[in-house]
Amino acid sequence: KACTPNYSPGRGWPCFNTDPMLKRDGFEDILEERRNSSDLKYALRCYAPVLYKGVTPCKANMLKNIVLQSDQLHYVINQVSQESGEAPDIIQEEASVILEEMAHRLQISTVRFFAFALSKAFKTLFQHVCVNEEGIQRLQQAIQEHPVVLLPSHRSYMDFLLMSYILYTYDLALPVIAAGMDFMGMKFVGEMLRMSGAFFIRRSFGGDKLYWAVFSEYVKTMLRNGFAPIEFFLEGTRSRTCKSLTPKLGLLNIVIEPFFKGEVFDVNLVPVSISYERILEESLYARELLGVPKPKESTSGLLKARRILSEDYGSIHVYFGQPVSVRSLAQGKVNRSTYNLFPRHIPRKPMEETQSFVNDTAYRIVRLQEDNMVLKPWVLMASLLLQNLEGLELSVLTEQTVWLRGLALSYAAFLDWPDHAPTAKVVSSSLALHRGLACVSGGRVSLVVGEPLGPVTPEEALFNRAVSVLSCASYRNQVLHVFLRPAMLAVAMHTAASSKKNEVYNCFSFLWDMFSNDFILCPGDIVQDFEEACYLLVKTGAVQMPQQDIVMTDIGQPTLSFFNGLLEPFLQGYQVVCRYLCEEASEGLTEKQYIPAVRSFAYSVLCVFTGNLRCYEVLSSDMQKNALAALLRGKLPTQKALLARL
Amino acid sequence: MLTSDSCLSLHKHGSSMASDSNSSESQRIAQQRLRIIAGHLQKHKDDDSGTIATECKAEANKGTVPRKRQEIMKWNGWGYSDSKFLFNKKGQAEFTGKRYRLSGMVLPSLQDWFENTFGASVNHKSPATPALNASAVPPASLNEAFVEDLKATGIPFSHEAEDRVFRAHGHCLHEIFALREGKKFERVPDMVVWPNCHNDVVKIVELACKHNVCLIPYGGGTSVTSALECPPEETRCIVSLDTSQMNRILWIDEKNLVAHVEAGIIGQDLERLLNESGYCTGHEPDSMEFSSLGGWVATRASGMKKNVYGNIEDLVIHIKVVTPRGVIEKSCQGPRMSTGPDIHHFILGSEGTLGVVTEVTMKIRPIPEYQKYGSVVFPNFEAGVACLREVAKQRCAPASIRLMDNEQFQFGHALKPQVSSIFTNFVEGLKKFYITKFKGFDPHQLVVATLLFEGDRERVLQHEKQVYDIAATFGGLAAGEDNGQRGYILTFVIAYLRDLGMDYYVVAESFETSVPWDRVLDLCRNVKERINRECKERGVQFQPLTSCRVTQTYDAGACVYFYFAFNYRGLADPVHTYERVEHAAREEILANGGSLSHHHGVGKLRKEWMKESISSLGVGMLQSVKDYVDPDNIFGNRNLL
């Protein structure tokens, strides 16, 4: 491993702006017009979006026919028929059934219905729905030039309705959206979604060749012919923690392949960042992470959720990022001519070069999503509150929030801090919006813990406490991507045996590797991330780097200790998991048993050490899974030794 | 005398093509009989001269090309000095001279097309330097000992600047542009020799080896791969070995239908002379007016009518090559051999790096009884390609079948001469109305396939019907013989048109590739898009013209030919910009499954991609042949490897 990190700018990703003074567009509130004019008129207005190179929109049935008659599908049908001994017609019929179950049936009337209903709902739920119009203009341009893939972040069920709503509002081509099959459970709603452009895919179909062939050909046909932008969630599922999830590559592979095969000149990937000031599913997520089963998607469940309509969820910011050209990204990274010697209609596992390109691309896109997430003052306050679980003087909180705001801004956070409002006002209105999470009493701010009626077992108390901590953490998590690299450096400095740069780097790289399931760390970027962390800490005066050393400055203490505190829950959580595996875990533990077992171990640890161990977050199944993955990746003994040191 | 001779032949050639199709049956039979009689008479003459065939001729040369090429050809452009396009005082385009069917005609729509397509104007001229500036030519650095020995052989040679410069280039854009601008040459041949026969070549190569002189074979000079460019780093005396005077048909063997020909003969002379005996080779590359038999062998040339006659590698039976190690040839003329790898395939495509091709025995065929042009209009390029693919699948391709894209279709229309009678105009108008209005074809989408059928009359008509029936299933509509013929004329005058463009700030070039059927459409679209994008990124102010056509069909794929042109006003270094765009276009071709070249060759222009194309082991194999045959790099043009 390189001791002296060597930042190589040669990895240049032309489309990614890592300039800390990143210029971002302004926003426009699309609800404003909805509040001032008729929703019905809006839902019925003329809708005539421009399409890719002026293609005429394709009827859903025609699309199905193209897919069923494609060489690609025929090849797999024959293959499956030979393997299974079934006649090709029967397999063909199966394929047709799969496609029927999958395909969207976009209908403008349904879209208009949603346009009307969502206008009403959004106006009740949200103060503002803000969109960067420049991003919309760029998107409009991109749609005409090359096939477009929309890649929004995924925090809420609301995401894809919101996306379609916005595109309809701006008279842009409506996307077709890859949705999980679980929606299909909601009979009526599932069909409604289908008619508004969703197509449904099974959550897992690993070995099913035919399913994969139908699915990938369906997506590619839509992409190649440019009938509609394709939309899917790189993260694969809603992030329950509000941290970005490490990307899933299946669909990205599918949409990029037509470029490698020369079937399209280019593909534009458009990262979209959807930031919610308050997430509708906030406490639901915390409970889910703590092991309360996720409510099954059902229409009646949706109706029950109506009570959320009476609450204020603040505002939503939707940022359409710069379209990323796959062609420019792949320049010099993937040799397309390696596709020349194999018939293009025969499915083939992507080559290593391609796989790592797609993986890299996925990470870059998720980072772009992160970069353009709009942060509210509350996420800073939540970060501070979580480091002071016993509560905090309001004045201290205010003061520290102002300090943290400065730090965040100098790290290029996309912070939506109200102009010209006194700080106290900003803090109090944030507290008011999130009154379910934090309250002020006697000048002290502390987390709200749900008090169930009747006698409470220690476990129940712990559970309630954990719900409020995890809910609060989902806000802190939103700012993590801004502070992550310097924070890891701060921890590395804290734990390294000396201040020698290479020792600190070794610690940093240990942390980097360990946390690569929890945070978005682009594969291979370790040196670059270290350099960036150094640069940022030096820039804000917390650290200086004489010769081969990295040392804290006189004024560095608050910053470094804040960063240490920021990552502490993660470090403690990993330690607990590590202890569990070393002390308790029996041989032959299955993955299914692991989560409940580690959870009850964590409960017992927390009950005993309520004093100094406050890592409620280790109760989160998300952290448990990530920690396990990290430990499985590394060599356990070394990790244990190092964890003990932390 | 030479000039009028060739002029006559071309006219004859042209008119025979034109009249055959509409002559009555009896006339046609009479012509055929006359031709055969003429053939018999000719043969007697050949038999007489057969005894002296192996000796070098002393009598005056009968070929089209004189030693002083500049006497009849442009020194800084394409073709004959007397033939060129110009915009006359009225702003109308005309084609000067008397050699071609378009010669002396006014082309009323060309100016509009030219100005609209390129954003150019007939008022913005970029004239060429009028004459060669001899002081811009590096002085000849002669190997005196070689010159002395050469003199003793009596083989003619020259070291005049004009002769040397003429052989320092082919017809790449950058070469012609440099000539027009009067740019200084870095390296040109130091002298030119004109061997008259195989034995002369043997002597020259022996002397070159003895005195360590670099030889660069020169045939028709139509290379578009920088193959004729002298390597600037070459310090030895460079001798251009001009084969143009080795241009006799040595014998014709009617029993086996082969002819033994000196390799310096150019395409038009070969066809003309064979026609006199009632035969043809059927090998008609677009450059056949000027390119030579030896050049075809050295570059693996392909002819328009390869569907009937085959490409050059299918046509040659025997090749004689003079190399520094001696003469390579086979011992018999068996039509196929299993004697290890075919040594002809070391020669075919060797691009002058191994030796000089001096004599070739190639297949000949009786002149076809009947020829007919045709054309089919398709609603779009996709339909056209699908049709060509089907024709290839059914293996019923006519002698030639080419699909021009919409840009080229419009270009072809811009070359329509002034119509002589109101009636033809009216008919044309009706046709256009029928195609665009009645059939609902979009004039900005429709494409045209041009066809050429050959054979006996009945078969041709039958064949024609078969092809038109296939076309109809892809929405193709027969569009007449004229449109077809115009398509083929375009290929002969396109190079002249480039000179016109360069007079008005427009640079243009063509390049080609071969590609599997399933990738034809994707490759065409992506290459065009890449060119457009690269032009934009490199500051080209005007929309470039990018156009392609499918020119050959094979069982497993097609040959695609691209034209690319842009208005370079506002660019500091248009040639550099052009070269970067062409480079990018070639990369795009390779990334889309196209080959490095279908028939132009590699030269020095595309050397950088050889390893990628044939693997480094493949390059090593070629290199080891080179090392064995020519260890001192006497044939030092540095092409290919």
Side-chain angles (χ1 to χ4, degrees), chain B residues 299-318:
Chain B
T299 54
R300 295 180 65 88
S302 169
M304 172 180 113
K305 300 195 286 197
K306 76 94 194 153
N307 293 335
V308 173
Y309 299 94
N311 286 319
I312 193 70
E313 68 273 20
D314 310 311
L315 287 165
V316 293
I317 292 295
H318 184 268

Side-chain angles (χ1 to χ4, degrees), chain B residues 306-307 311 385 388-393 395 397 401 513-521 550-560 593-595 598:
Chain B
K306 76 94 194 153
N307 293 335
N311 286 319
V385 171
L388 262 64
R389 203 281 160 268
E390 185 58 29
V391 166
K393 197 188 236 169
R395 290 205 174 159
I401 177 164
T513 186
S514 55
V515 60
W517 278 116
D518 74 312
R519 288 176 174 267
V520 170
L521 286 175
V550 180
T551 60
Q552 292 289 12
T553 62
Y554 292 88
D555 287 349
C559 168
V560 181
S595 65
H598 169 264

Side-chain angles (χ1 to χ4, degrees), chain A residues 262-263 327 336 339-340 344, chain B residues 518-519 522 525-526 588:
Chain A
E263 293 162 347
R327 175 175 275 266
R336 282 183 286 154
Y339 286 81
N340 289 349
R344 293 184 293 176
Chain B
D518 74 312
R519 288 176 174 267
D522 288 331
R525 182 198 55 236
N526 288 349
E588 194 61 34

Side-chain angles (χ1 to χ4, degrees), chain A residues 52-53 145-146 259-266 325 327-328 331 335-337 339-344, chain B residues 516-520 522-523 525-531 533 536 587-594 612:
Chain A
Y52 170 55
K53 299 237 167 84
E145 284 171 355
H146 301 295
F259 164 72
F260 287 139
K261 287 186 170 173
E263 293 162 347
V264 293
F265 183 77
D266 200 353
S325 146
R327 175 175 275 266
S328 336
Q331 180 78 37
N335 181 4
R336 282 183 286 154
S337 61
Y339 286 81
N340 289 349
L341 292 177
F342 212 78
R344 293 184 293 176
Chain B
W517 278 116
D518 74 312
R519 288 176 174 267
V520 170
D522 288 331
L523 181 132
R525 182 198 55 236
N526 288 349
V527 170
K528 285 183 183 181
E529 176 115 27
R530 180 73 181 264
I531 290 173
R533 188 190 264 210
K536 209 166 164 188
E587 293 202 315
E588 194 61 34
I589 286 175
L590 297 177
N592 282 275
E612 189 186 321

Side-chain angles (χ1 to χ4, degrees), chain B residues 358-433:
Chain B
T358 55
E359 290 171 14
V360 174
T361 308
M362 71 190 295
K363 296 183 201 170
I364 56 171
R365 298 289 304 165
I367 294 174
E369 175 190 315
Y370 188 64
Q371 239 187 358
K372 191 173 183 191
Y373 287 96
S375 64
V376 183
V377 175
F378 292 97
N380 54 46
F381 194 61
E382 289 76 5
V385 171
C387 173
L388 262 64
R389 203 281 160 268
E390 185 58 29
V391 166
K393 197 188 236 169
Q394 298 192 18
R395 290 205 174 159
C396 63
S400 171
I401 177 164
R402 288 177 169 179
L403 180 72
M404 301 194 243
D405 69 359
N406 183 260
E407 286 80 2
Q408 228 163 106
F409 169 75
Q410 297 193 16
F411 183 15
H413 264 256
L415 289 175
K416 241 183 192 175
Q418 211 152 24
V419 212
S420 42
S421 81
I422 298 167
F423 181 69
T424 20
N425 210 353
F426 174 72
V427 172
E428 285 297 319
L430 265 185
K431 264 195 217 157
K432 194 169 172 184
F433 174 80

Side-chain angles (χ1 to χ4, degrees), chain B residues 495-516:
Chain B
Y496 285 104
L497 276 162
R498 180 170 81 175
D499 290 339
L500 177 71
M502 284 205 273
D503 284 336
Y504 295 91
Y505 290 95
V506 172
V507 287
E509 185 66 287
S510 60
F511 48 89
E512 41 75 36
T513 186
S514 55
V515 60

Side-chain angles (χ1 to χ4, degrees), chain B residues 545-611:
Chain B
L545 170 73
T546 57
S547 167
C548 67
R549 63 167 188 252
V550 180
T551 60
Q552 292 289 12
T553 62
Y554 292 88
D555 287 349
C559 168
V560 181
Y561 207 94
F562 288 92
Y563 288 134
F564 155 44
F566 63 83
N567 181 342
Y568 67 85
R569 294 187 72 204
L571 288 182
D573 189 350
V575 169
H576 179 73
T577 305
Y578 162 75
E579 284 174 344
R580 296 324 300 160
V581 177
E582 191 194 339
H583 190 273
R586 181 57 59 179
E587 293 202 315
E588 194 61 34
I589 286 175
L590 297 177
N592 282 275
S595 65
L596 191 52
S597 171
H598 169 264
H599 60 275
H600 281 175
V602 175
K604 289 180 271 290
L605 194 63
R606 289 185 271 276
K607 255 163 87 162
E608 63 179 293
W609 289 292
M610 271 299 269
K611 262 196 188 140

